[in-house]
C-alpha cells in the first residue's frame, strides 16, 4: 500500500517542483512555459502565460514607439534651444518652485553683461509671478531707462507656463519694442498733435469728446478764444503772434490742466473729467486776470472763455453743445474784452 502511494506522491512532488521553477521563469519573462498536468489549472496557467506573452510583446512595441518619439522630441528640443540662442528676443526660463534660473539664451546673457542695472529691474518684474491655474500665457510690458541715458527702453514680455523636465516653470520671451513705440508716438503726433503748440489738435479733441459722451461720467468742456491775436499779427508780425499763441497754450497746460487742444487758429478746447463747473470757471477767471496783469508782452493779451457741464449719455448732439458754448463765449467776449481803438485792429466777430 505504501509503495502504491509513494510513486504518485513522488511524481506529484516532482511536478510541483517543476511548476515552481516554471513560475520563476515566467516571472523572469519566459512566457514559453507550459503546464500539461492538473487539468483546469494547466489550461488557466497556459492561458495566462500566452496573454502575458502577448501583452509583453505589445508593451515592447509601445516602448519602441515611445523611445522613437523621445528621440525625436530630444532632437526637436535641441533644435529649439539652438534656435532660441540665435533669436533676437531674450528668453528666460525660471522655476516656479524656487525662482531658479533654468535656462537663458545668448541674447539674454549679452543683455545682462551690457545692462546689469536694467537686468536687476527685469528680474524684479519676474518676482511674484506664479504658475497660472488656467494654463494661459500672459503678455505684458515694462519700461526701463538705461543708466546714463534719457531715452526709455520698452520691452514686451510673453510669459508661458511650461513643464521643464517635470519642473513647473515660466518661460519669459522678451522683445525690445522701443522702435515700435517711437513710431507709434511719431504717427500719433502726426495725427493728434498741433505742430506749433505741441498740444492735442482738433481731431484728438473730437475723438475724445465722442468717447466721453458714451461714457458714464460727466465732464466739463471749456472753449477758449485768444483776444487780440489778429492785432498782434498785423502790428507785431506773425512771429510774435506765434509766440502769443504758445504762451496761452503753455498757460492752459501748466496752470489749468486737463486735456488742452488747439482746435483752430486762436481757439482751444479744454476737457476735464469731473462736474465742478463753477470751480473751473472761477479758476479760469483768476488765470485770465493774472495773465492780463503780466507786463512782459508788448501787445495787449487776454483770452475769453465759456464752459459747460455735459452729462454722460447725453441725447444732445455734441455739435449742438459746441454751438451753445461758442455762443456763451462770445457773450463773455462782449462783456469782458476791452475794445482797442487802434485802426489796425479789427475783429470781424465783434461789433464796432
Amino acid at each position: 500500500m505504501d509503495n502504491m502511494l509513494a510513486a504518485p506522491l513522488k511524481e506529484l512532488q516532482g511536478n510541483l517542483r517543476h511548476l515552481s521553477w516554471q513560475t520563476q521563469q515566467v516571472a523572469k519573462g519566459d512566457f514559453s512555459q507550459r503546464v500539461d498536468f492538473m487539468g483546469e489549472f494547466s489550461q488557466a496557467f497556459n492561458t495566462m502565460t500566452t496573454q502575458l506573452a502577448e501583452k509583453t510583446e505589445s508593451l515592447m512595441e509601445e516602448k519602441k514607439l515611445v523611445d522613437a518619439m523621445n528621440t525625436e522630441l530630444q532632437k526637436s528640443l535641441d533644435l529649439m534651444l539652438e534656435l532660441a540662442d540665435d533669436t533676437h528676443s531674450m528668453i528666460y526660463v525660471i522655476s516656479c518652485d524656487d525662482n531658479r534660473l533654468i535656462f537663458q539664451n545668448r541674447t539674454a546673457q549679452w543683455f545682462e553683461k551690457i545692462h546689469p542695472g536694467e537686468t536687476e529691474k527685469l528680474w524684479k518684474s519676474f518676482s511674484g509671478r506664479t504658475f497660472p491655474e488656467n494654463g494661459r500665457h500672459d503678455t505684458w510690458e515694462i519700461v526701463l531707462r538705461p543708466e546714463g541715458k534719457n531715452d526709455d527702453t520698452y520691452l514686451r514680455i510673453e510669459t508661458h507656463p511650461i513643464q521643464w523636465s517635470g519642473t513647473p516653470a515660466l518661460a519669459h520671451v522678451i522683445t525690445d519694442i522701443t522702435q515700435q513705440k517711437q513710431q507709434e508716438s511719431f504717427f500719433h503726433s502726426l495725427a493728434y498733435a498741433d505742430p506749433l503748440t505741441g498740444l492735442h489738435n482738433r481731431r484728438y479733441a473730437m475723438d475724445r469728446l465722442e468717447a466721453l459722451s458714451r461714457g458714464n461720467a460727466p465732464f466739463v468742456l471749456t472753449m477758449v478764444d485768444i483776444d487780440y491775436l489778429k492785432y498782434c499779427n498785423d502790428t507785431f508780425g506773425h512771429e510774435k503772434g506765434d509766440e502769443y499763441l504758445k504762451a496761452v497754450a503753455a498757460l492752459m497746460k501748466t496752470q489749468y490742466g486737463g486735456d488742452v487742444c488747439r482746435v483752430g487758429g486762436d481757439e482751444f478746447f479744454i476737457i476735464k473729467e469731473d462736474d465742478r463747473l463753477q470751480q473751473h470757471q472761477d479758476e479760469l477767471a483768476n488765470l485770465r486776470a493774472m495773465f492780463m496783469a503780466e507786463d512782459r508782452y508788448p501787445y495787449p493779451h487776454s483770452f475769453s472763455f465759456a464752459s459747460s457741464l455735459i452729462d454722460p449719455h447725453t441725447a444732445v448732439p455734441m455739435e449742438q453743445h459746441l454751438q451753445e458754448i461758442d455762443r456763451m463765449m462770445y457773450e463773455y467776449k462782449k462783456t469782458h474784452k476791452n475794445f482797442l481803438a487802434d485802426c489796425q485792429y479789427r475783429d470781424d466777430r465783434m461789433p464796432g
Side-chain angles (χ1 to χ4, degrees):
M1 185 67 178
D2 290 340
N3 290 334
M4 290 177 63
L5 293 174
L9 287 174
K10 186 175 182 181
E11 183 181 358
L12 177 61
Q13 187 178 23
N15 286 335
L16 290 174
R17 280 199 299 268
H18 184 66
L19 179 60
S20 178
W21 177 85
Q22 285 181 300
T23 304
Q24 292 174 357
Q25 295 305 111
V26 171
K28 294 177 180 179
D30 180 7
F31 304 119
S32 64
Q33 300 297 320
R34 294 294 182 270
V35 176
D36 55 4
F37 70 99
M38 297 181 68
E40 292 182 358
F41 174 80
S42 299
Q43 183 179 357
F45 183 91
N46 294 336
T47 300
M48 178 192 71
T49 54
T50 300
Q51 290 176 343
L52 286 173
E54 293 173 351
K55 185 63 176 178
T56 300
E57 183 178 357
S58 175
L59 290 174
M60 292 298 293
E61 290 299 322
E62 290 182 12
K63 182 178 182 301
K64 289 180 182 179
L65 291 175
V66 171
D67 288 343
M69 291 175 62
N70 285 338
T71 300
E72 292 302 317
L73 285 174
Q74 186 60 50
K75 290 180 180 178
S76 298
L77 177 60
D78 293 341
L79 176 60
M80 292 300 296
L81 293 177
E82 186 176 340
L83 293 174
D85 266 339
D86 290 336
T87 184
H88 293 296
S89 297
M90 295 183 286
I91 300 177
Y92 290 86
V93 180
I94 301 173
S95 167
C96 292
D97 294 334
D98 53 10
N99 206 37
R100 171 176 51 90
L101 177 64
I102 299 176
F103 170 81
Q104 65 179 152
N105 66 345
R106 275 197 293 262
T107 307
Q109 295 171 6
W110 293 337
F111 183 83
E112 289 191 357
K113 291 179 182 179
I114 299 172
H115 305 291
E118 284 63 56
T119 301
E120 183 178 353
K121 297 174 185 176
L122 189 59
W123 268 93
K124 287 182 179 179
S125 72
F126 294 156
S127 63
R129 291 189 168 267
T130 57
F131 200 91
E133 294 182 359
N134 57 15
R136 295 179 180 176
H137 79 279
D138 185 23
T139 301
W140 46 293
E141 295 181 5
I142 62 170
V143 182
L144 302 176
R145 173 159 291 184
E147 189 174 347
K149 294 186 177 180
N150 295 324
D151 297 327
D152 291 330
T153 297
Y154 295 85
L155 301 178
R156 182 178 63 235
I157 304 176
E158 296 183 16
T159 300
H160 300 266
I162 62 171
Q163 292 288 335
W164 188 281
S165 299
T167 300
L170 294 177
H172 302 290
V173 182
I174 306 166
T175 305
D176 189 331
I177 56 171
T178 303
Q179 186 174 5
Q180 175 186 330
K181 289 290 186 181
Q182 290 172 342
Q183 289 176 343
E184 289 175 358
S185 177
F186 172 73
F187 288 120
H188 184 276
S189 296
L190 288 180
Y192 288 114
D194 173 56
L196 177 63
T197 63
L199 299 176
H200 300 306
N201 62 12
R202 185 178 187 86
R203 177 183 294 177
Y204 174 91
M206 298 311 295
D207 286 352
R208 186 81 177 114
L209 290 174
E210 182 65 26
L212 288 173
S213 66
R214 297 193 304 266
N216 297 314
F219 61 95
V220 174
L221 172 60
T222 298
M223 187 177 292
V224 174
D225 186 87
I226 299 179
D227 297 331
Y228 316 120
L229 180 61
K230 182 177 180 355
Y231 174 83
C232 180
N233 283 325
D234 292 346
T235 307
F236 297 92
H238 285 277
E239 184 176 345
K240 285 295 182 182
D242 289 347
E243 176 189 280
Y244 185 13
L245 269 168
K246 289 189 282 188
V248 176
L251 182 73
M252 296 299 165
K253 187 67 177 176
T254 59
Q255 300 297 322
Y256 185 63
D259 269 344
V260 184
C261 312
R262 184 187 176 202
V263 297
D266 55 0
E267 292 182 343
F268 299 85
F269 286 174
I270 306 176
I271 306 166
K272 286 203 170 186
E273 295 183 64
D274 58 47
D275 58 358
R276 299 173 297 169
L277 176 62
Q278 187 59 52
Q279 178 177 329
H280 293 320
Q281 290 175 328
D282 293 342
E283 289 174 356
L284 279 169
N286 292 334
L287 195 61
R288 180 178 186 271
M290 181 186 72
F291 183 57
M292 292 178 64
E294 292 187 2
D295 58 3
R296 54 179 171 152
Y297 302 105
Y299 41 80
H301 46 282
S302 176
F303 60 84
S304 301
F305 67 90
S307 302
S308 179
L309 177 64
I310 301 178
D311 294 322
H313 302 294
T314 174
V316 179
M318 186 55 60
E319 189 62 34
Q320 189 171 331
H321 282 293
L322 294 177
Q323 291 173 358
E324 177 60 19
I325 298 172
D326 186 68
R327 184 195 64 77
M328 290 190 297
M329 186 189 66
Y330 282 104
E331 288 296 325
Y332 181 96
K333 189 182 287 285
K334 289 178 184 179
T335 304
H336 296 85
K337 178 181 175 182
N338 295 326
F339 175 73
L340 296 180
D342 193 314
C343 63
Q344 289 181 284
Y345 174 72
R346 183 171 63 86
D347 188 340
D348 295 332
R349 295 166 297 185
M350 294 291 295

